Structures are given as C-alpha cells and as structure tokens.
Amino acid sequence: MQARRAQVEAALEQSLAPALWPAAVAPLVQAMRYGALGGGKRLRALLTLAAHEALCTQADIPSAQRSAWAQTAMRAACAVELIHAYSLIHDDMPCMDNDVLRRGKPTVHVQFGEATALLAGDAMQALAFEWLTPPTDATPTETALPPAQQWAAQARLCSLLARAAGPSGMAGGQAIDLAHVGLAMNQAQLQHMHELKTGALLLASVQMGAACAPSASPAIGQALHQYGQALGLAFQVVDDVLDATADSATLGKTAGKDAADNKPTYVSIMGVQAARAYADELHARACAALEAAPALAASPLRGLADLVVQRAH
C-alpha cells in the first residue's frame, strides 16, 4: 500500500507540475497543488490499482501489454483522486459545508480565497478527464495496446468517472445532503444519499481498475460491483462514527461538524455502537463478494476493506 501510494503521489505531482502551464496561471496551479497533493489516504486510487492488479495477475498478457495496462491504471487512479480532491475543495466552501480545516491544514478557500478555490476545483475536474485521454504520441509505451482497445478503455473510464461524479452520483448526493440539513431522514433515505455522494465514486474506483485490464468474466464483474457498493457505504458509516468520536487533530478536519450543522448521519439515526456494527456487516458483505470470485479472494482489495472499517474501532 505504501509503495502504491508513493507512486500515485509522484504521478499526481507530475500531472500538476507548475512548469506545465504559463506563469500567468501560477496562482491557480498553486491552489490546485495545495488541494491535491501531500495528504489523504488515496483510498480511491489504491482501489483502482488493486482491482487492476487482481485481474491482470490472473491473465495471460504479454509483458508490453501488461506495462501498457499498468500505465492506464495509474492514469485512472490519478483521475479519480483529482475528482475526489476537487469535490473536497467545493464541499468545504461557505456555500456548501463552510469548513475551514481539511487534511490538517486550512481549506483551499481559506488559503487562496473563494474565487480561486472554485476555479481550482473546476480545473481539477477537467484535468481528470484530460489525464484519462492522453495524446497517442505522449506515452509511446501505451501504444503496445491496439488502438481500438486503447480507445475503448478510455471511453469506458470516462463514462464510469463522469457518471460517478455527476447528478447520478457525487453531485446528486451532495444536493440531497444540502436539501436535508435540519430535516429528518430514515435509514433508507440516508443510505440512498450516501450511495450517491460517497459510494458512487468508491464503486467507480473499483470498476475503473477492472476497466484497465482485459475483459473480466461476468462473475468477476458482479463480485467487484458488490464489493464496491458495500465498501462505499461502509466508508461513509465509518466516517460518521469518526466524526462523532474522534478529535479534529486525529481526523485532520473539524470534528463534530455533522452534529453541529444538524445533519442526519448514521450515528444520529442508529447510535455509535449500532453504526459500528453496521460497518462490520458491510465489511463482511464486501469480503464475501471477493470470496465468491476465486481470482479476487486473495487480492489487496481485501486488505483495503479491512483498512476502511478498522478505523471505526
């Protein structure tokens, strides 16, 4: 995990290098780098790389093509992290959650102003899709894949990421969240909101990793879908528990903010202990999905599921 995280960090650093853009936009690039680099668990990127590796390990692929798929997977991992980072920048702004602390440091709008923060998020969203569709002459080793296969993979990756980030995913979930501040929600409504707001991008991370490999069987695709759904929901349940039980120094963001803002959470509906038990149940579902597909049972995906849920205990 540490090795993969370092690789993702290096690739993000490369994609956000100041030398890539004119000096006139240097303040914007500085804000983008501040929001994207040097922090975070990189869980979404790790899920992408783990799913890719699980499928490519089982496949009989020539070495040149294996390298090409690995580069495609790293691009996908960086793209999903850019989308996640942009969403945090926008979510923290005064018109949304109005938070002043993220990853243990001032939020982007506090550090650079609201206008620059808004533009930084916009630019990172666009950059994510640019990262998924590199010029064919920019990465010669990726041409080891037939052009039709490259284009099909790029189209699939763009589709998965766009759907997860848009009104049927993250943005839609955030809209529901904002509309229910101070209003009661039952568990089914809360789950639907978080399947969009948080779960969709985590599920897409797994599916994007699978798209960076030769076609998997329907059984493996179904197992990855079930795993990603369960893990995405477990992540949010654990996040709610931590918001209620951990301090700001541990979280790297303002603790207790959900309760202070009168937002419905799994803790407010179920209580801390029941929420922890529900996270454990979702963890069991995610692991059972992997066990149902022998190619996935021993993959790093299991360790990532453990990592997500163990944070709550």
Side-chain angles (χ1 to χ4, degrees), residues 210-294:
C212 298
S215 298
S217 69
I220 289 180
Q222 179 66 13
L224 287 172
H225 188 274
Q226 292 173 349
Y227 166 86
Q229 276 192 321
L231 186 68
L233 192 53
F235 181 90
Q236 184 60 53
V237 176
V238 170
D239 208 52
D240 285 357
V241 170
L242 291 175
D243 185 76
T245 60
D247 57 30
S248 297
T250 301
L251 292 177
K253 58 183 180 179
T254 307
K257 198 163 189 309
D258 290 337
D261 291 344
N262 200 18
K263 283 189 173 186
T265 68
Y266 285 98
V267 171
S268 69
I269 290 175
M270 307 172 71
V272 171
Q273 293 306 318
R276 281 179 171 144
Y278 187 41
D280 290 338
E281 177 188 331
L282 291 165
H283 173 263
R285 288 187 204 172
C287 294
L290 297 178
E291 293 293 337

Side-chain angles (χ1 to χ4, degrees), residues 58-81:
Q58 304 293 323
D60 183 16
I61 310 172
S63 60
Q65 291 193 12
R66 189 178 295 276
S67 176
W69 281 122
Q71 290 188 41
T72 302
M74 183 56 69
R75 288 182 173 278
C78 290
V80 75
E81 282 295 328

Side-chain angles (χ1 to χ4, degrees), residues 19-155:
L20 295 176
W21 287 283
V25 298
L28 173 62
V29 176
Q30 184 181 5
M32 293 166 66
R33 289 172 57 83
Y34 182 90
L37 300 177
K41 296 174 287 296
R42 304 301 182 204
L43 174 63
R44 290 150 191 83
L46 291 173
L47 286 168
T48 298
L49 296 176
H52 152 75
E53 290 179 17
L55 297 186
C56 280
T57 298
Q58 304 293 323
D60 183 16
I61 310 172
S63 60
Q65 291 193 12
R66 189 178 295 276
S67 176
W69 281 122
Q71 290 188 41
T72 302
M74 183 56 69
R75 288 182 173 278
C78 290
V80 75
E81 282 295 328
L82 287 170
I83 291 292
H84 176 55
Y86 118 73
S87 76
L88 297 181
I89 292 173
H90 282 190
D91 286 356
D92 287 337
M93 292 182 68
C95 60
M96 295 280 194
D97 292 346
N98 193 24
D99 215 333
V100 298
L101 188 67
R102 173 71 66 177
R103 294 174 174 171
K105 59 185 182 181
T107 48
V108 175
H109 74 272
V110 171
Q111 192 77 7
F112 296 93
E114 291 183 38
T116 298
L118 182 65
L119 286 174
D122 291 344
M124 288 160 69
Q125 183 185 45
L127 184 61
F129 290 97
E130 182 179 342
W131 199 240
L132 289 178
T133 54
T136 55
D137 60 350
T139 52
T141 55
E142 291 186 46
T143 60
L145 296 177
Q149 198 170 27
Q150 290 183 61
W151 299 330
Q154 290 177 14

